[in-house]
């Protein structure tokens, strides 16, 4: 009987290399999970509205665009139904992303076409402009607020697939309730503002005015207290006080509209904290939820913003 054939040295070496590589990957995965568990990492920034089966989760980019669409609608004095129609349309056309491509020359949130008179490519890729053009078309539709959403949207868009708008109505309804302020503290977001560029108060001011008008121009810029344990070189936090108008019954809804707009735009505008009434939202809170404001409570006449530094 012949002796069993022994594996060659190269084969044994190959198995050893594969084992070592596999072990390295496994150890790396264990280290990653351990670090994220111990540090409580919150992962990629995200936003949510609603709960359970009635829940919509989206990215900060989508939240920012949705907030702009809503602000432009209310800035024109339009009802919440108009905002719902606009949001459902943008969800279908672009997924609430300001895309630079589409069918033929379609562009932007609403996939509007320069060749069809919607504006120049640069204009259409401006979310404020494109939202305004959509509402301009919607306002020309008689009784649009009483029409089925698909019918109202189709009269503006002239889509080849008009029934597709219907499936987005539940999510658009959740979004519009929060972003018009009717549903207080309904928008939960996380944003990573611990590193990177500081917030620019002049840019926040300009974006507020573009979306809502001059009445929302912050009253002033103040330097807040530094973070606990910060060294002398750490600059103080910059805070803005955004006035809430009108007064009376609609003031609270307007306040929440402004506050939740700021949360939705926090990742882009580098907003680290938002306070309105007795609630505060903090970017670094892993839950993304609103919490009791404590010493940062406002009297309801302003929304307080603290920018990243």
């Amino acid at each position: 009987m012949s002796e069993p054939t022994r594996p060659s040295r190269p084969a044994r070496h190959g198995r050893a290399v594969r084992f070592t590589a596999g072990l390295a990957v496994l150890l790396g995965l264990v280290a990653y999970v351990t670090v994220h568990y111990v540090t409580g990492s919150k992962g990629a920034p995200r936003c949510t509205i609603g709960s359970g089966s009635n829940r919509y989760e989206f990215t900060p980019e989508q939240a920012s665009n949705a907030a702009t669409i809503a602000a432009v609608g209310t800035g024109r004095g339009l009802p919440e139904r108009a905002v719902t129609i606009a949001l459902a349309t943008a969800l279908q056309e672009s997924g609430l992303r300001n895309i630079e491509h589409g069918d033929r020359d379609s562009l932007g949130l609403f996939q509007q076409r320069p060749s069809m008179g919607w504006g120049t490519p640069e204009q259409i890729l401006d979310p404020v402009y494109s939202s305004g053009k959509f509402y301009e078309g919607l306002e020309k539709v008689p009784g649009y607020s009483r029409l089925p959403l698909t019918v109202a949207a189709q009269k503006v868009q002239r889509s080849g697939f008009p029934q597709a708008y219907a499936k987005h109505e539940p999510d658009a309804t959740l979004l519009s309730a929060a972003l018009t302020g009717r549903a207080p503290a309904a928008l939960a977001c996380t944003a990573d503002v611990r590193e990177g560029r500081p917030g620019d108060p002049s840019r926040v001011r300009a974006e507020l005015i573009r979306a809502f008008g001059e009445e929302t121009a912050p009253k002033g810029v103040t330097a807040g207290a530094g973070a606990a344990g910060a060294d002398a070189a750490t600059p103080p936090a910059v805070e803005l006080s955004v006035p809430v108008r009108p007064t009376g019954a609609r003031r609270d809804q307007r306040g929440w509209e402004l506050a939740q707009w700021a949360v939705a735009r926090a990742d882009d505008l580098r907003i680290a904290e938002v306070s309105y009434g007795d609630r505060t939202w903090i970017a670094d809170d892993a839950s993304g939820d609103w919490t009791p404001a404590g010493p940062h409570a406002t009297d309801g006449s302003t929304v307080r913003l603290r920018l990243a530094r």
Side-chain angles (χ1 to χ4, degrees), residues 62 69 155 157 306:
Q62 292 171 306
I69 292 169
K155 286 184 178 293
Q157 295 294 105
R306 180 171 64 82

Side-chain angles (χ1 to χ4, degrees), residues 98-122:
N98 197 26
I99 54 180
E100 299 182 14
H101 56 81
D103 179 42
R104 288 169 283 190
D105 59 338
S106 300
L107 297 168
L109 291 171
F110 296 91
Q111 288 292 279
Q112 294 156 336
R113 298 178 59 193
S115 64
M116 299 300 290
W118 287 98
T120 67
E122 293 75 17

Side-chain angles (χ1 to χ4, degrees), residues 220-290:
V221 178
T222 60
D231 58 47
T234 302
V238 173
E239 295 181 357
L240 303 176
S241 292
V242 183
V244 178
R245 300 187 180 92
T247 59
R250 269 199 44 83
R251 187 178 77 171
D252 197 48
Q253 181 170 344
R254 181 64 161 177
W256 278 110
E257 179 182 15
L258 291 166
Q260 293 185 126
W261 174 90
V263 170
R265 300 295 312 273
D267 197 66
D268 175 40
L269 295 178
R270 306 286 292 168
I271 298 172
E273 188 174 306
V274 181
S275 296
Y276 178 65
D278 62 352
R279 310 290 285 178
T280 288
W281 172 86
I282 300 173
D284 291 336
D285 185 340
S287 72
D289 291 330
W290 294 81

Side-chain angles (χ1 to χ4, degrees), residues 63-78 83 109 126-132 135 179-180 202-218 242-243 245 254 257-262 264-265 268-269 271 305:
S64 179
N65 289 326
T68 297
I69 292 169
V72 172
T74 60
R76 297 173 74 98
L78 299 179
V83 175
L109 291 171
D126 174 4
V128 172
Y129 174 89
S130 62
S131 299
Y135 287 121
L179 295 173
T180 62
S202 62
R203 184 171 177 232
V204 175
R205 182 182 191 277
E207 289 295 313
L208 276 163
I209 292 172
R210 287 194 75 219
F212 295 101
E214 286 286 346
E215 70 175 35
T216 58
V242 183
R245 300 187 180 92
R254 181 64 161 177
E257 179 182 15
L258 291 166
Q260 293 185 126
W261 174 90
R265 300 295 312 273
D268 175 40
L269 295 178
I271 298 172
L305 310 180

Side-chain angles (χ1 to χ4, degrees), residues 286-306:
S287 72
D289 291 330
W290 294 81
T291 59
H296 301 302
T298 72
D299 63 2
S301 65
T302 61
V303 174
R304 187 184 66 84
L305 310 180
R306 180 171 64 82

